[in-house]
């Protein structure tokens, strides 16, 4: 691991490399302890580089065996090699060839960056800077090269040999070894390099592109798990077709392979032609995967596939531009899922994710712009801001330009920049060029951190039928940016009449309003509508057109009305969610003050549950009150997680009691036949039924309903939810104890399902939570070295167990800090990601703040801390 040097990288320091690597030929002779890598690099000085510019290649913990320049072994004095750098001062004027031999020990690589072994399978992870753990290289995304890769390994242990591009040749070698050669004709940066070798099972299929080329598709999984990869294959084929139909983009190689491995730091990786996945995002069947798993697999298969154009064919000039590929590709996978599923339900899920993951980032010490200007450790910038807010920014471009001009802009982007390492400026320029608009103010979304706040106050002139909206925007200060500039915010609105329909209204001044969208470009702005026949309820930020926080003076009556009648389902959900959230905030502060609001909310939820005009998936979302973490975020300061927990439970009990018979009846009606389909509509019915199961169990106060659902479940969605209801509501009942034991016995040999078992127990609230989680770390199936397992137990405890993690005595923090320190020794990246769970510590009440600060300081004081963890901890401490 790299020990922190304190070096900070700045966007303004960017300059092109002095040398280009035109071709990269790699030979791997694989061995767990002594893998030999021979890299033959065809190098050329760039035209504007100084004649005497030295060649400085990146390394990370490398062992150099030999170095040959144009066929001559370089003498020891002719270069300088450390594990982290290779410098050659005297070089030929023209193009030259450099052969570098290094030796690696994949077996000892517990950081899971570079070449490592996962369950006996060799695999690689090179983004962002893992390639330098394989060989010395100009390991930066703007150095693009054509790769040819030869892999040699024993045939018995590694019958499958894969790399990027197309297969060229393969054959047998002496001593039971064999080899395969792969060639990727497309220029690519080193972070997209991949290699896989091992004994794997596979399923195959093919896809014919619209120009008539046949692409061989393969998904490789651990042997015996092949049947569980069929949904992923189906999702892949749908993704390929969708990208042709919606963006006109066709796949460009003869083969496309996906490999699933069980030890992986991230979700998945878009290596050219050879995507490598965390197996949790590939393997699924009804018995072992929930509907959420199916939806995630569909989305992530699509995401990585879509990178082939947005990321691979057009890559990032430098890592500051990470959002260029990620924000855009997240936007594309969101659109894909919206087309495959219900658009409104998908959008609400996106908004919830954005608010629960990105808003706290923007509001805390780790806030950074979508395109950061400085970093110490790039691995720490794979954040919700870069991904999710990055996607929102692309969505706003489409809102501002309209769908047609947006597509023209995308077409121009591919035409103009194919084969480039591009920047955010390049991306914005294509939209300016096709639309003739000036997007310079809009570009602040990329450059300025923080969630903009918009407040709206309204006056209605009954006599003149005129409505006036006074709108004000501001961006709260964030670390390193105390003063903020005024942004261009596209705010979609609707004026809803008493019959629930949208009223026709003409803007008095049309310059800042078009097609239902107000373009806020000033700090204060007034928009007037005339010709209204009645006072409308105002539906704001429809479709969540801008990722902002919003305050508006609206009566409870109007909000309740919108929660039932807004024609925009996303805004309808927002109205309801806002009411629930406000009520929870109020009752968590003054518990005794149970106004009649709870009763009215229970009534609205009852009506929504019974409303057949609404799709079940929407009803399930609407019936789920904001999480404890959501409420904490809305409160923002002096947070007492215990009070929020009580308030939320109280509200759930009131809703459950008020609708007891109706919910029980509906729960019964939704019980479908036994045939399972993972499609969105069936999943929606299961989701609604599961929400109702929780309410019904709360109303009855006994575990019978959940226990019987657990027993009779015919799929994992029903079984896992029943187990969660049992564990969370009735943790000590015998039915719960035996269901937990049954689940463990049933799925003990399936790591992905066992992760759910850990997860469910990690989220049981209350006093016993910490002891329970501590006990589970001693469970035979728990492994501190497997990222999925660590995330499911330790990560889930910190992120989703508000009362357990935030214990008033600080022991939850101490336990968590100890685990972070333990994980860091093996895997700094995973440790750093875990540590972000401390990001909102300043919002807590003073006692908890003190405990959290002490634990952060304790981590920061550990000698020899990695850059990854030190960077997060120090920024979090501020
Ligand atoms: Zn991505």
């Amino acid at each position: 691991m790299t020990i922190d040097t304190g070096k900070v990288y700045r966007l303004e320091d960017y300059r092109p490399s002095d040398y280009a690597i035109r071709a990269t030929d790699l030979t791997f002779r694989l061995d767990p302890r002594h893998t030999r890598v021979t890299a033959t690099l065809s190098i050329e000085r760039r035209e504007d580089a100084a004649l005497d510019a030295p060649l400085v290649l990146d390394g990370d913990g490398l062992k150099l065996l030999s170095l040959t320049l144009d066929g001559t072994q370089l003498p020891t004095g002719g270069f300088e090699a450390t594990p982290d750098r290779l410098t050659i001062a005297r070089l030929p004027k023209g193009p030259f060839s450099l052969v570098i031999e290094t030796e690696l020990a994949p077996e000892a690589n517990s950081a899971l960056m570079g070449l490592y072994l996962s369950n006996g399978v060799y695999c690689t992870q090179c983004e962002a800077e893992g390639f330098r753990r394989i060989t010395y290289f100009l390991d930066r995304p703007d150095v693009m090269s054509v790769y040819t890769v030869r892999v040699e390994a024993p045939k018995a242990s590694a019958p499958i040999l894969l790399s990027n591009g197309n297969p060229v040749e393969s054959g047998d070698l002496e001593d039971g070894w064999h080899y395969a050669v792969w060639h990727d004709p497309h220029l690519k940066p080193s972070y997209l390099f991949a290699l896989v070798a091992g004994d794997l099972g596979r399923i195959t299929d093919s896809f014919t592109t619209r120009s008539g080329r046949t692409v061989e598709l393969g998904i490789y999984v651990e042997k015996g798990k092949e049947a569980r990869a069929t949904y992923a294959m189906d999702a892949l084929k749908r993704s390929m077709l969708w990208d042709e139909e919606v963006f006109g983009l066709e796949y460009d190689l003869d083969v496309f392979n996906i490999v699933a491995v069980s030890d992986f730091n991230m979700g998945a990786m878009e290596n050219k032609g050879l995507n490598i996945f965390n197996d949790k995002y590939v393997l699924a069947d009804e018995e072992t995967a929930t509907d959420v798993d199916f939806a995630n697999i569909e989305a992530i298969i699509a995401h990585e596939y879509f990178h082939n154009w947005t990321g691979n064919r057009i890559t990032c000039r430098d890592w500051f531009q990470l959002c260029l590929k990620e924000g855009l590709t997240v936007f594309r996978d969101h659109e894909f899922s919206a087309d495959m599923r219900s658009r409104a339900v998908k959008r609400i899920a996106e908004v919830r994710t954005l608010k629960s993951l990105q808003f706290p980032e923007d509001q805390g010490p780790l806030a950074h712009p979508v395109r950061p200007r400085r970093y110490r450790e790039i691995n720490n910038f794979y954040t919700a801001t870069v991904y999710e807010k990055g996607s929102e920014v692309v969505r706003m471009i489409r809102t501002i330009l309209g769908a047609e001009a947006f597509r023209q802009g995308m077409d121009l982007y591919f035409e103009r920049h194919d084969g480039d390492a591009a920047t955010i400026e390049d991306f914005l320029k294509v939209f300016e060029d096709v639309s003739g608009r000036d997007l310079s103010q809009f570009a602040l979304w990329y450059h300025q951190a923080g969630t903009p706040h918009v407040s709206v106050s309204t006056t209605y002139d009954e006599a003149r039928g005129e409505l006036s909206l006074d709108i004000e925007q501001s961006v709260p200060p964030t670390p390193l940016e105390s003063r903020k500039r005024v942004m261009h915010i596209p705010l979609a609105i609707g004026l809803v009449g008493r019959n629930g329909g949208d009223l026709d209204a003409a803007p008095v001044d049309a310059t800042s309003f078009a097609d239902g969208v107000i373009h806020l470009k000033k700090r204060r702005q007034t928009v007037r509508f005339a010709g209204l026949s009645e006072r409308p309820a105002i539906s704001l930020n429809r479709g969540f057109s801008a990722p902002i926080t919003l305050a508006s003076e609206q009566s409870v009556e109007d909000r309740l009305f919108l929660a039932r009648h807004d024609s925009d389902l996303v805004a309808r959900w927002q109205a309801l969610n806002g009411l629930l959230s406000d009520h929870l905030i109020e009752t968590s502060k003054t518990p005794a003050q149970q106004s009649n609001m709870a009763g009215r909310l229970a009534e609205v939820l009852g009506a929504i549950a019974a409303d057949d005009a609404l799709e079940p998936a929407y009803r399930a979302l609407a019936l789920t009150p904001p999480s404890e973490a959501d409420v904490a975020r809305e409160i923002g300061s002096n947070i007492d997680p215990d009070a929020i927990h009580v308030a939320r439970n109280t509200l759930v009990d009131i809703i459950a009691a008020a609708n007891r018979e109706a919910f029980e009846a509906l729960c019964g009606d939704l019980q479908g036949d036994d045939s399972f389909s993972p499609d969105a509509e069936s999943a929606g019915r299961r989701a609604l039924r599961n929400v109702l199961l929780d309410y019904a169990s709360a109303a009855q106060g006994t575990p019978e309903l959940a226990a019987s659902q657990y027993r009779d479940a015919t799929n994992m969605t029903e079984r896992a939810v029943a187990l969660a209801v049992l564990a969370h509501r009735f943790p000590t009942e015998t039915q719960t104890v035996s269901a937990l034991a049954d689940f463990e016995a049933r799925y003990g040999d399936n790591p992905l399902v066992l992760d759910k078992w850990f997860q469910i127990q990690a989220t049981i609230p209350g006093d016993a939570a910490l002891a329970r989680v501590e006990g589970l770390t001693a469970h035979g199936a728990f492994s501190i070295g497997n990222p999925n397992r660590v995330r499911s137990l330790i990560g889930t405890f910190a992120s989703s167990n508000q009362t357990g993690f935030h214990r008033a005595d600080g022991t939850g923090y101490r336990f968590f800090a100890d685990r972070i320190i333990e994980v860091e020794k093996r895997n700094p990246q995973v440790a750093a990601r875990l540590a972000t769970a401390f990001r909102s510590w300043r919002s807590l009440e003073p006692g908890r703040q003190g405990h959290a600060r002490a634990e952060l300081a304790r981590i920061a004081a550990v000698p020899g801390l990695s850059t990854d963890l030190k960077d997060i901890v120090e920024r979090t401490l501020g």
Side-chain angles (χ1 to χ4, degrees):
M1 80 190 192
T2 319
I3 303 222
D4 184 51
T5 56
K7 183 173 164 62
V8 173
Y9 299 85
R10 290 187 169 77
L11 173 61
E12 64 264 29
D13 292 342
Y14 172 85
R15 61 178 203 88
S17 62
D18 290 327
Y19 291 88
I21 304 177
R22 302 290 177 207
T24 301
D25 289 6
L26 300 167
T27 297
F28 287 81
R29 198 163 165 84
L30 293 171
D31 181 89
R33 263 163 283 178
H34 307 283
T35 288
R36 192 164 283 219
V37 183
T38 310
T40 305
L41 312 179
S42 307
I43 305 181
E44 244 175 75
R45 187 182 312 102
R46 291 201 205 267
E47 260 177 36
D48 40 7
L51 281 174
D52 59 350
L55 176 67
V56 184
L57 301 178
D58 307 298
D60 182 356
L62 286 175
K63 180 177 165 190
L64 179 69
L65 297 183
S66 74
L67 187 61
T68 309
L69 199 152
D70 281 338
T72 311
Q73 184 123 3
L74 277 181
T76 346
F79 62 92
E80 195 190 327
T82 69
D84 301 335
R85 180 166 301 168
L86 174 62
T87 312
I88 309 173
R90 247 168 302 159
L91 294 157
K93 289 191 171 47
F96 58 93
S97 156
L98 193 66
V99 182
I100 305 167
E101 250 193 309
T102 50
E103 191 185 85
L104 320 172
E107 188 184 70
N109 182 355
S110 65
L112 313 185
M113 283 293 277
L115 177 69
Y116 64 95
L117 274 165
S118 168
N119 270 350
V121 177
Y122 291 92
C123 66
T124 54
Q125 169 59 33
C126 291
E127 187 178 358
E129 296 177 337
F131 192 72
R132 63 185 65 181
R133 291 164 65 89
I134 294 172
T135 190
Y136 293 101
F137 204 75
L138 290 171
D139 191 15
R140 43 189 285 173
D142 61 345
V143 172
M144 298 169 85
S145 188
V146 171
Y147 283 68
T148 306
V149 180
R150 179 184 167 99
V151 191
E152 301 179 1
K155 207 170 183 171
S157 60
I160 306 285
L161 305 174
L162 305 171
S163 190
N164 314 90
N166 296 320
V168 176
E169 151 184 20
S170 61
D172 289 334
L173 298 167
E174 280 171 19
D175 302 327
W177 281 56
H178 70 148
Y179 75 96
V181 178
W182 291 78
H183 177 73
D184 181 1
H186 299 282
L187 283 172
K188 68 164 174 287
S190 50
Y191 80 88
L192 290 173
F193 165 79
L195 173 156
V196 172
D199 190 7
L200 293 160
R202 93 174 150 169
I203 62 166
T204 57
D205 208 324
S206 68
F207 179 84
T208 306
T209 67
R210 62 180 179 165
S211 68
R213 285 185 315 104
T214 303
V215 182
E216 300 299 333
L217 310 176
I219 299 185
Y220 294 79
V221 297
E222 275 174 25
K223 280 197 161 154
K225 296 180 176 173
E226 293 88 343
R228 286 161 62 199
T230 52
Y231 183 76
M233 182 64 89
D234 175 58
L236 173 62
K237 290 167 73 179
R238 284 185 282 124
S239 307
M240 295 177 88
L241 183 63
W242 185 90
D243 216 13
E244 291 186 350
E245 287 176 345
V246 177
F247 282 96
L249 299 172
E250 202 175 313
Y251 186 63
D252 53 9
L253 289 166
D254 303 336
V255 297
F256 185 81
N257 285 320
I258 290 173
V259 179
V261 297
S262 50
D263 300 291
F264 205 68
N265 280 351
M266 321 201 193
M269 178 63 212
E270 71 264 23
N271 319 296
K272 181 81 187 189
L274 178 57
N275 291 359
I276 299 180
F277 270 62
N278 187 324
D279 59 1
K280 126 186 216 179
Y281 296 120
V282 171
L283 301 174
D285 60 21
E286 61 190 277
E287 169 72 13
T288 58
T290 63
D291 291 324
V292 174
D293 295 327
F294 279 103
N296 282 338
I297 288 169
E298 182 180 76
I300 294 173
I301 291 273
H303 177 95
E304 305 307 333
Y305 173 73
F306 295 156
H307 267 314
N308 191 53
W309 277 93
T310 49
N312 301 4
R313 290 282 290 247
I314 305 179
T315 194
C316 306
R317 188 193 71 177
D318 52 67
W319 289 120
F320 296 100
Q321 322 293 331
L322 181 57
C323 59
L324 178 73
K325 76 178 179 77
E326 293 306 340
L328 176 54
T329 306
V330 170
F331 171 76
R332 274 150 54 68
D333 86 55
H334 282 346
E335 282 300 295
F336 168 73
S337 293
D339 282 347
M340 296 295 124
R341 291 162 180 265
S342 153
R343 191 160 275 273
V345 167
K346 170 68 184 145
R347 185 63 187 143
I348 293 167
E350 287 161 22
V351 173
R352 289 182 66 162
T353 305
L354 187 79
K355 287 186 169 184
S356 70
L357 299 178
Q358 199 278 325
F359 278 22
E361 218 163 75
D362 247 350
Q363 289 159 13
L366 300 179
H368 58 272
V370 172
R371 186 178 71 183
R373 277 182 301 275
R374 44 179 282 152
Y375 63 76
R376 262 161 84 187
E377 175 50 67
I378 187 58
N379 289 330
N380 289 339
F381 281 84
Y382 287 75
T383 60
T385 299
V386 167
Y387 280 67
E388 308 303 328
K389 190 173 177 183
S391 162
E392 294 300 318
V393 178
V394 177
R395 178 177 297 276
M396 286 188 284
I397 295 175
R398 189 181 61 177
T399 302
I400 291 168
L401 263 61
E404 205 176 310
F406 176 76
R407 171 64 199 270
Q408 285 167 10
M410 288 301 297
D411 289 350
L412 181 59
Y413 178 62
F414 297 121
E415 191 188 307
R416 191 182 278 176
H417 294 291
D418 188 12
D420 283 359
T423 62
I424 285 301
E425 283 72 18
D426 295 329
F427 183 64
L428 285 169
K429 183 78 167 56
V430 295
F431 296 107
E432 290 189 324
D433 288 354
V434 295
S435 69
R437 279 170 194 261
D438 175 3
L439 294 175
S440 51
Q441 187 185 10
F442 179 81
L444 283 174
W445 282 103
Y446 282 110
H447 309 321
Q448 192 163 266
T451 306
H453 181 74
V454 171
S455 65
V456 182
S457 58
T458 59
T459 34
Y460 180 64
D461 184 333
E462 182 102 52
R464 303 171 67 176
E466 219 177 270
L467 176 78
S468 145
L469 305 178
D470 292 307
I471 310 173
E472 205 174 323
Q473 64 156 297
S474 59
V475 184
T478 51
L480 308 175
E481 290 177 6
S482 51
R483 294 186 55 191
K484 302 286 186 178
R485 287 189 281 163
V486 178
M487 306 187 69
H488 175 184
I489 300 173
L491 186 71
I493 71 154
L495 306 177
V496 186
R498 265 188 290 274
N499 66 0
D502 283 1
L503 300 175
D504 265 335
V508 174
D509 167 12
T511 52
S512 60
F513 181 85
D515 301 324
V517 178
I518 298 175
H519 292 272
L520 302 176
K521 292 182 176 179
K522 297 182 205 147
R523 200 168 295 282
R524 278 186 202 83
Q525 220 161 311
T526 299
V527 183
R528 292 211 306 277
F529 296 92
L532 289 158
S533 52
E534 56 176 303
R535 188 190 66 83
I538 301 149
S539 165
L540 289 165
N541 207 14
R542 279 189 157 176
F544 209 70
S545 62
I548 54 172
T549 56
L550 190 64
S552 69
E553 290 168 3
Q554 255 175 326
S555 68
V556 168
E557 298 314 316
D558 274 6
R559 296 169 76 190
L560 282 165
F561 179 78
L562 290 170
R564 286 295 286 126
H565 301 290
D566 197 323
S567 64
D568 181 278
L569 279 177
V570 180
R572 192 191 290 195
W573 172 81
Q574 289 186 97
L576 176 67
N577 202 254
L579 285 163
L580 290 163
S581 178
D582 286 355
H583 175 75
L584 289 170
I585 291 169
E586 200 177 307
T587 52
S588 73
K589 287 180 179 164
T590 39
Q593 201 177 30
Q594 280 294 344
S595 58
N596 65 348
M597 193 59 203
R600 299 191 70 182
L601 289 169
E603 200 184 307
V604 174
L605 291 187
I608 290 172
D611 187 346
D612 285 336
L614 293 167
E615 55 187 324
Y618 175 85
R619 288 187 265 164
L621 283 172
L623 284 163
T624 309
S627 71
E628 291 168 28
D630 288 335
V631 179
R633 184 192 65 245
E634 293 294 331
I635 293 175
S637 62
N638 200 22
I639 293 162
D640 175 359
D642 291 329
I644 296 171
H645 180 69
V646 172
R648 190 177 186 280
N649 276 1
T650 307
L651 178 62
V652 168
D653 286 344
I654 292 170
I655 297 166
N659 295 288
R660 180 168 173 170
E661 275 101 56
F663 282 3
E664 276 173 28
L666 188 54
C667 200
D669 291 350
L670 286 161
Q671 191 136 26
D673 49 42
D674 281 352
S675 67
F676 177 89
S677 162
D679 68 89
E681 208 190 314
S682 316
R685 274 199 304 278
R686 284 187 288 272
L688 178 56
R689 182 157 172 262
N690 285 332
V691 173
L692 295 171
L693 173 76
D694 189 49
Y695 279 117
S697 302
Q700 294 182 2
T702 66
E704 309 308 330
L705 267 184
S708 90
Q709 172 162 325
Y710 180 85
R711 229 179 9 252
D712 303 338
T714 56
N715 57 69
M716 181 50 71
T717 303
E718 286 170 359
R719 197 182 298 283
V721 167
L723 186 64
V725 173
L726 285 170
H728 292 175
R729 294 207 167 276
F730 315 103
T732 55
E733 297 274 350
T734 41
Q735 281 102 322
T736 304
V737 176
S738 63
L740 280 168
D742 174 79
F743 196 93
E744 185 188 1
R746 229 181 245 262
Y747 304 109
D749 59 351
N750 186 323
L752 293 178
V753 186
L754 211 55
D755 281 340
K756 299 182 197 306
W757 184 78
F758 279 106
Q759 232 164 9
I760 286 169
Q761 296 181 84
T763 46
I764 301 175
D767 259 0
L770 177 58
R772 186 178 297 112
V773 172
E774 261 181 312
L776 285 168
T777 57
H779 190 279
F782 182 78
S783 157
I784 201 82
N786 177 264
N788 282 358
R789 198 46 54 83
V790 167
R791 282 186 286 250
S792 63
L793 182 62
I794 313 293
T796 303
F797 172 67
S799 66
S800 310
N801 194 329
Q802 296 291 301
T803 49
F805 177 55
H806 297 288
R807 280 172 68 99
D809 63 4
T811 50
Y813 305 144
R814 189 187 310 154
F815 163 78
F816 185 59
D818 283 339
R819 299 292 82 70
I820 290 172
I821 292 166
E822 195 182 347
V823 172
E824 200 244 5
K825 291 188 194 113
R826 307 178 51 95
N827 193 324
Q829 249 185 62
V830 170
R833 254 180 239 163
L834 282 178
T836 61
F838 276 119
R839 70 188 159 214
S840 302
W841 68 278
R842 276 181 202 280
S843 316
L844 296 159
E845 53 77 27
R848 287 174 170 91
Q849 259 193 50
H851 292 305
R853 186 198 292 115
E855 294 306 325
L856 281 163
R858 188 162 68 87
I859 300 173
V862 170
L865 218 57
S866 63
T867 315
D868 302 66
L869 186 55
K870 201 174 178 71
D871 171 48
I872 291 289
V873 171
E874 290 187 354
R875 278 196 285 143
T876 305
L877 277 166

